Amino acid sequence: MTIKADTSPLAAALFAVAGGSFRMRKDKDGFVPAWSAGRRVLDDDGNVIGSAHRIYSDGYAVETAPYWGYVPDSQIEWV
């Protein structure tokens, strides 16, 4: 289970701090800007809710409506 686009920011932050998983996939469609690295953050239903950028050696900067911040590799679930 992961966050959704309508999750409250407080709940999303607590989810991240508590070690919750963030689902990601590499982008398969269309143009991918170099800065985006082509990673999309998904909810449990497979809907894209944000993007992720590899700017840390051990994690990603995740940008979604409810949560913007660092997510370590250990909390990433690739689909």
Side-chain angles (χ1 to χ4, degrees):
M1 188 170 141
T2 189
I3 64 171
K4 294 185 176 201
D6 62 354
T7 301
S8 77
L10 177 59
L14 291 173
F15 177 82
V17 170
S21 295
F22 286 79
R23 301 182 87 200
M24 286 191 206
R25 71 166 165 78
K26 290 186 178 181
D27 200 5
K28 299 175 187 171
D29 51 331
F31 173 74
V32 178
W35 54 264
S36 78
R39 281 142 179 101
R40 301 295 173 238
V41 181
L42 311 172
D43 64 14
D44 289 330
D45 298 325
N47 301 313
V48 175
I49 61 169
S51 61
H53 315 287
R54 182 83 179 191
I55 62 172
Y56 303 102
S57 62
D58 62 344
Y60 288 84
V62 170
E63 299 175 8
T64 67
Y67 179 77
W68 285 43
Y70 170 75
V71 176
D73 288 335
S74 62
Q75 286 179 242
I76 303 297
E77 176 187 337
W78 291 99
V79 295

